Amino acid sequence: MAANAPLLELRDAVPSFEESGLMPAPYNLRIMPGECAVIDCRDFERAAMFADMCTGMIPLTQGSIKFMGLDWSTLYDRQLNALRGRIGRIARHGSWLSLFGTHLNIMLPHLYHTTDPFEHVVRRATELGHTFGFPGLPITAPDRLSGADLARAACVRAFMGRPDLLILEDISDMLPEETVLPFFETMTAARDRGCGVLWFVRSTAAWHEYRKAVNIHMRLLDEGLFSLRVV
């Protein structure tokens, strides 16, 4: 990626309505390294679909979406997988496999993309677990955890592997109060090394304490994506 180039850029990107249910309107968004974009969206499903579109999982009928200077539509499977390995994501629903313990659910995405020794991955996951309030990595199956512990686990998984982009769906109603400050601190540390943040929220309360550090504020509605003033 060239210096001073956008980390994530949507240029008149029109999603396939049949594939996404998103309004086939042109979406424009540019996030530079280290920037945080907050997108108000009260519809969890719409936010998740927009997040999928930003990661190249929704076909476009026109326009382009580039991540780290690369157009998703021009890449092959191996390149797509490698590039998505640079994205940390918190999903509101799903994405947990109860066939495995939560500790493996946390580590498997990073293990798929890294050449780091297994013990190093375990150590980093454990450190992040402590940051978000776990005494250690939870080995219980995800379907046996509380909503609060699943929210903590989602944070640990998203920050694994020093991601270049964080795509965060709103889990503020599930995240324990004592975990909010560590969440902001970990996100800020990631931004300080150049990680961009795309953060979907349902209300101002979710990001009120972080508002001074937000660079971009937008709203995602049925009609499309609209810029708002950061206050």
Side-chain angles (χ1 to χ4, degrees):
M1 186 175 71
N4 300 318
L7 184 65
L8 177 69
E9 185 173 30
L10 283 66
R11 285 191 178 182
D12 293 326
V14 178
S16 166
F17 179 78
E18 291 76 12
E19 297 283 344
S20 68
L22 290 170
M23 177 62 66
Y27 294 87
N28 288 280
L29 174 65
R30 185 175 71 171
I31 300 176
M32 302 297 290
E35 285 191 335
C36 176
V38 164
I39 296 184
D40 287 340
C41 183
R42 297 196 175 193
D43 185 325
F44 288 133
E45 185 175 351
R46 184 184 300 134
M49 283 296 179
F50 191 86
D52 284 347
M53 184 176 74
C54 290
T55 59
M57 297 173 67
I58 301 293
L60 305 180
T61 58
Q62 69 180 60
S64 66
I65 300 178
K66 293 182 179 180
F67 173 50
M68 300 184 74
L70 299 173
D71 189 324
W72 290 115
S73 67
T74 66
L75 304 178
Y76 297 103
D77 285 348
R78 187 172 181 180
Q79 296 168 308
L80 289 169
N81 288 334
L83 208 57
R84 288 179 184 136
R86 305 308 312 147
I87 299 174
R89 182 166 174 180
I90 291 179
R92 173 80 187 186
H93 298 297
S95 73
W96 296 106
L97 299 174
S98 289
L99 182 64
F100 303 110
T102 304
H103 63 308
L104 290 177
N105 273 268
I106 288 170
M107 294 187 294
L108 280 175
H110 181 53
L111 287 169
Y112 180 78
H113 294 286
T114 188
T115 56
D116 292 345
F118 180 74
E119 57 271 21
H120 290 186
V121 177
V122 173
R123 186 181 307 122
R124 177 56 179 158
T126 304
E127 290 171 354
L128 282 169
H130 291 158
T131 296
F132 289 106
F134 285 127
L137 286 181
I139 62 174
T140 306
D143 61 358
R144 293 178 175 270
L145 292 184
S146 66
D149 280 344
L150 277 178
R152 297 179 199 268
C155 291
V156 175
R157 182 169 61 180
F159 286 102
M160 287 290 294
R162 294 173 61 85
D164 292 299
L165 176 67
L166 288 163
I167 297 182
L168 312 173
E169 296 174 36
D170 194 357
I171 58 169
S172 58
D173 58 322
M174 298 186 290
L175 204 60
E177 184 177 351
E178 66 272 14
T179 308
V180 173
L181 181 58
F183 172 78
F184 288 152
E185 291 175 341
T186 307
M187 183 165 63
T188 300
R191 292 178 61 192
D192 286 346
R193 59 171 177 77
C195 178
V197 178
L198 179 58
W199 185 11
F200 298 91
V201 300
R202 293 190 72 197
S203 68
T204 304
W207 61 288
H208 178 74
E209 295 181 27
Y210 202 72
R211 67 190 184 281
K212 291 183 179 179
V214 171
N215 307 100
I216 301 163
H217 185 198
M218 307 189 84
R219 180 164 291 148
L220 181 61
L221 301 170
D222 281 335
E223 298 80 8
L225 188 64
F226 302 91
S227 294
L228 300 172
R229 186 167 61 93
V230 178
V231 292

